[in-house]
Amino acid sequence: MPEPRGNLPEKWYIWLEGEIADWKKEGIINDSQAGTILQRYEAARREGETERGGRLVTVLAIMGAVLLGVGVILFFAANWQGMSKALKVAVILGSIIIAYGTGYYLAFEKQNYPRVGRTVIFLGTILYGAGIWLIAQVFHINSHYPNGVLIWILGIIPVIYICGSLSVLIEASLLTIMWTFMEQTGFQTSNWLYLPVMAVMLVMAYRMKSGLAAGITLAGASVWAAVASFVSYHGSRGILLTFTLTAMIGLFYYVIGSICKPGGRFKFMKTPSYIAGSVLFFLSVFIISFRDLVRIGSYAGDTRYTTFFLVWFIGMFLCIWAAAVLGIIKGRLGPESRKSALFIMVLSVLLAVLSFTFGLLDETAVILINNILLFISVIAVVIIGYSEREPVLINTGLAFFVLGVIARYFDFFWDMLPKSVFFMAGGLVLLVGGTLLERNRRKIVREMKVNSHAA
Amino acid sequence: MRHRYKFILVVVLQIVILLVMIGMKWSTLAFGTKILLKTAPVDPWDLFRGDYVILNYEITNLNLDAIPADKDEYRNNETIYVTLKKQGKYWNAVSVSSKRPDDGSLAIKGIVRYHFRPDANLQVDYGIHSYYVPQHEGRRIEDARGSMDVEISVDKWGNAAVSKLFIDGKEVEFQ
């Protein structure tokens, strides 16, 4: 007999118990069948409870490790008067060795406290980072401070590889974002070294099938691209083009999410790619929907394209088309995903046209186009979310819809005339989109009813 | 159990990284030439490392109209070598080069932060711009600002490390 699908929420079991009681009352099933069904799910339910309990232990232990680690950093930062240099170094090295030794013993040697053991190893990685800063403090080192974070990352990558520690992977993924941000903003560089480090993070996320780590790394890659684009434009001059680039990267992430098959090797990438892609796209278009921000970017007349922008923008555009076309040809996309892939291809063309013709348009026209693009995309993503049954997309779309309406509401009072055109266009788009949405919603509900009857 | 040795190797690697960091600075401090630079501090606070005093040296901002250089324009983040010469009590910059001088003269290695072309001003980071002090001591040093000097150790490759801090000629010691 095949095992029932595990990891279902507790609410679902409560619902099932109620349904079984009703089925018994209605004579659909007898006592023996009810008992068999309940028994079938009991083991999965217990397993789920144990898993949730285990996760709680991990979360509590990680929180404890973070607090302890921060405490150690602050202790050394604030109370170093009473200790000699040698003692300070000895204490930090000793605490690293003790943390790693205890953690490894509990998790892999004794194996009686695997979750606590892994968390103590995680604490060891924080203490190692604290050690880098302590040594910088003791020896007054301040040359190129982002290197401290890089050394931290490089030191803990082997720990992820050997122990398969998710918490250390998340730590390293967050540190990678912090490192590239410090490096790029502090020293105005493109930081090309970020790309191989990012690739390592993605490989580790793949090895551990961690959607969270993949999502953090995808978000980090967009931070890297945005800052590198700003650096290439020497500041805010390239604000419009920088955010059309990040919007294009968002579309690329989205397409990647579409071609990850639910049962395939990359299924863990599906949801993070959808979330990172849609949030990045909407955030980017939302930012350039503000007149003041586009104006700060000295939009008027400056249509210079840097090599960085051209290479990455065109590269992303080609990747989107290649991934979408391959997805359609190879049959990796379902009928609904095919429609959304075609929509993404259209959006990528619109972004490309906007980016390469905005010099020919006046400021108001550019703002208007950006706003229409934002609201059309919001409505489209909600429709796609309904058709593909991805609540993440619906939620993201609705969140940016609310943000967009609030932002334009405030704009309205400052500058009424151009916004009247915008509201008319937005209203029309909403009416059409709302009708489509309602029709689709009914279709889905009808289909679901048919499916439940068939079952 | 099977990856015990690999794990031990990783821990050793991390300890070695930390020891190399210490060793590099220690060797500069132990074997480098001691020089005295004049400075004026300001006091920020760094979350990771507690209080520290920012040290701003005369050799941080170089006027290339007054000091000979081997190039007209330096890129941001470019490595340069500033040759120093003792003039009275302090050491001052006498030339700028993108290559380490091989005539035996003392040169300090730095990274170009900005090169302002109109006034030929070159801003250089030598990695010796912070001096860490116990919490709340930074403000005291800032308030007591009189004449502040810093003893720096410079090794033969141009690497520098902060050795001692002097206020009104008296060494400041925190441990």
Side-chain angles (χ1 to χ4, degrees):
Chain A
M1 192 170 70
E3 285 287 308
R5 284 177 195 174
N7 216 7
L8 290 164
E10 182 60 21
K11 267 197 297 190
W12 188 88
Y13 293 108
I14 294 166
W15 171 84
L16 182 68
E17 279 173 354
E19 284 294 295
I20 288 172
D22 288 347
W23 297 338
K24 264 187 350 189
K25 251 189 244 166
E26 290 167 23
I28 300 168
I29 53 171
N30 58 33
D31 283 354
S32 149
Q33 286 166 327
T36 313
I37 296 169
L38 282 173
Q39 206 180 352
R40 178 178 157 81
Y41 289 96
E42 197 49 39
R45 187 184 191 175
R46 272 201 303 272
E47 201 179 294
E49 271 171 14
T50 314
E51 181 63 26
R52 275 193 291 278
R55 265 190 226 151
L56 182 68
V57 170
T58 306
V59 169
L60 286 176
I62 287 174
M63 283 165 68
V66 169
L67 288 177
L68 205 59
V70 170
V72 169
I73 293 173
L74 290 177
F75 173 78
F76 284 122
N79 300 284
W80 66 322
Q81 255 170 313
M83 286 193 208
S84 68
K85 279 182 186 178
L87 183 60
K88 274 183 278 184
V89 171
V91 166
I92 195 81
L93 295 185
S95 56
I96 291 169
I97 293 167
I98 289 169
Y100 279 134
T102 312
Y104 191 84
Y105 179 75
L106 293 175
F108 300 105
E109 298 271 344
K110 195 85 172 164
Q111 296 183 355
N112 52 354
Y113 292 103
R115 286 174 192 275
V116 175
R118 281 171 185 274
T119 309
V120 178
I121 290 174
F122 169 68
L123 174 65
T125 63
I126 294 179
L127 292 175
Y128 164 66
I132 294 169
W133 260 268
L134 170 79
I135 288 161
Q137 187 190 50
V138 171
F139 291 91
H140 309 291
I141 301 170
N142 80 331
S143 57
H144 210 80
Y145 55 89
N147 281 353
V149 186
L150 179 62
I151 292 169
W152 190 349
I153 297 164
L154 296 179
I156 64 177
I157 284 173
V159 179
I160 305 166
Y161 181 78
I162 291 168
C163 300
S165 170
L166 181 62
S167 47
V168 182
L169 174 61
I170 303 295
E171 177 193 358
S173 308
L174 290 170
L175 284 173
T176 306
I177 301 181
M178 185 176 156
W179 161 61
T180 196
F181 191 76
M182 284 163 95
E183 180 75 55
Q184 290 177 282
T185 54
F187 296 88
Q188 299 293 301
T189 61
S190 298
N191 191 23
W192 294 105
L193 189 58
Y194 170 77
L195 293 177
V197 177
M198 180 203 75
V200 170
M201 290 301 147
L202 281 179
V203 170
M204 292 291 167
Y206 171 72
R207 268 181 59 118
M208 298 187 63
K209 301 281 182 277
S210 168
L212 180 60
I216 292 171
T217 304
L218 291 181
S222 56
V223 169
W224 170 80
V227 182
S229 174
F230 272 121
V231 169
S232 77
Y233 279 101
H234 301 291
S236 59
R237 222 150 46 100
I239 199 163
L240 182 73
L241 291 175
T242 293
F243 286 108
T244 56
L245 170 64
T246 51
M248 194 66 101
I249 295 172
L251 294 181
F252 174 64
Y253 288 168
Y254 187 92
V255 173
I256 293 292
S258 314
I259 60 172
C260 292
K261 276 188 170 175
R265 278 190 301 166
F266 291 97
K267 68 174 180 186
F268 74 99
M269 287 286 288
K270 198 171 183 68
T271 307
S273 301
Y274 272 162
I275 297 174
S278 50
V279 170
L280 182 59
F281 174 81
F282 285 124
L283 193 63
S284 307
V285 181
F286 180 65
I287 289 170
I288 54 172
S289 72
F290 287 88
R291 180 184 292 275
D292 290 343
L293 285 173
V294 173
R295 195 175 283 159
I296 287 168
S298 307
Y299 144 80
D302 187 1
T303 52
R304 194 172 57 92
Y305 298 100
T306 60
T307 311
F308 180 89
F309 173 82
L310 287 174
V311 169
W312 282 87
F313 191 86
I314 296 169
M316 281 293 120
F317 180 82
L318 294 176
C319 286
I320 289 166
W321 275 69
V325 169
L326 277 176
I328 292 168
I329 293 171
K330 297 263 181 186
R332 291 185 77 92
L333 302 171
E336 294 301 338
S337 300
R338 237 174 263 173
K339 279 182 209 163
S340 66
L342 287 171
F343 180 70
I344 297 298
M345 289 158 90
V346 171
L347 273 184
S348 68
V349 172
L350 285 176
L351 274 178
V353 170
L354 174 70
S355 301
F356 292 108
T357 60
F358 80 97
L360 307 170
L361 305 166
D362 73 358
E363 195 181 272
T364 305
V366 171
I367 306 297
L368 193 68
I369 291 169
N370 291 349
N371 277 286
I372 291 172
L373 192 65
L374 174 67
F375 280 88
I376 286 178
S377 315
V378 161
I379 291 158
V381 93
V382 172
I383 294 171
I384 292 167
Y386 268 117
S387 348
E388 294 195 21
R389 288 168 201 184
E390 285 284 354
V392 159
L393 296 180
I394 299 170
N395 293 340
T396 312
L398 289 177
F400 278 94
F401 176 76
V402 173
L403 278 175
V405 168
I406 292 171
R408 297 297 81 85
Y409 172 77
F410 279 101
D411 283 355
F412 184 77
F413 289 99
W414 290 103
D415 190 5
M416 195 169 159
L417 194 63
K419 296 296 176 295
S420 62
V421 180
F422 159 76
F423 269 114
M424 279 191 283
L428 274 174
V429 171
L430 272 180
L431 279 174
V432 176
T435 314
L436 287 172
L437 200 68
E438 181 60 16
R439 209 173 65 182
N440 232 11
R441 192 187 67 83
R442 281 184 190 163
K443 194 176 147 195
I444 289 167
V445 171
R446 203 165 49 236
E447 273 174 15
M448 284 169 77
K449 275 184 184 165
V450 170
N451 287 344
S452 59
H453 279 304
Chain B
M1 197 83 107
R2 64 196 154 81
H3 48 54
R4 185 199 288 167
Y5 295 108
K6 285 185 190 166
F7 188 78
I8 292 171
L9 205 66
V10 170
V11 179
V12 170
L13 172 82
Q14 291 188 359
I15 300 293
V16 167
I17 289 172
L18 297 177
L19 290 177
V20 166
M21 276 178 71
I22 297 169
M24 282 166 69
K25 278 293 158 184
W26 178 82
S27 71
T28 304
L29 284 169
F31 304 112
T33 307
K34 302 280 188 288
I35 63 169
L36 202 62
L37 298 173
K38 197 168 174 60
T39 134
V42 282
D43 173 28
W45 198 84
D46 179 335
L47 180 68
F48 280 118
R49 294 175 281 187
D51 278 27
Y52 68 100
V53 181
I54 282 191
L55 304 168
N56 190 27
Y57 304 95
E58 277 185 12
I59 59 166
T60 302
N61 291 296
L62 299 171
N63 184 357
L64 293 193
D65 284 339
I67 299 166
D70 67 343
K71 276 181 171 178
D72 287 337
E73 195 157 354
Y74 293 96
R75 285 178 287 108
N76 287 355
N77 300 314
E78 183 177 345
T79 300
I80 57 161
Y81 293 85
V82 177
T83 306
L84 302 172
K85 199 171 176 187
K86 196 171 183 188
Q87 291 167 337
K89 190 179 164 189
Y90 300 107
W91 289 66
N92 294 315
V94 288
S95 71
V96 178
S97 167
S98 47
K99 283 183 188 150
R100 190 156 56 90
D102 50 8
D103 58 357
S105 55
L106 184 78
I108 183 169
K109 188 163 76 179
I111 304 286
V112 174
R113 293 307 306 270
Y114 303 105
H115 187 194
F116 303 104
R117 278 307 299 151
D119 57 1
N121 196 7
L122 188 72
Q123 199 176 334
V124 191
D125 183 351
Y126 301 100
I128 48 168
H129 299 269
S130 327
Y131 190 86
Y132 296 91
V133 296
Q135 210 167 24
H136 312 306
E137 288 292 325
R139 177 58 61 198
R140 191 179 65 81
I141 292 170
E142 172 66 13
D143 291 344
R145 186 203 308 207
S147 124
M148 179 178 281
D149 306 324
V150 179
E151 187 186 88
I152 303 288
S153 229
V154 184
D155 66 20
K156 59 179 177 178
W157 296 282
N159 300 309
V162 177
S163 173
K164 286 173 189 166
L165 182 69
F166 299 93
I167 294 177
D168 295 328
K170 200 177 162 195
E171 186 185 346
V172 181
E173 279 187 290
F174 296 105
Q175 55 174 334

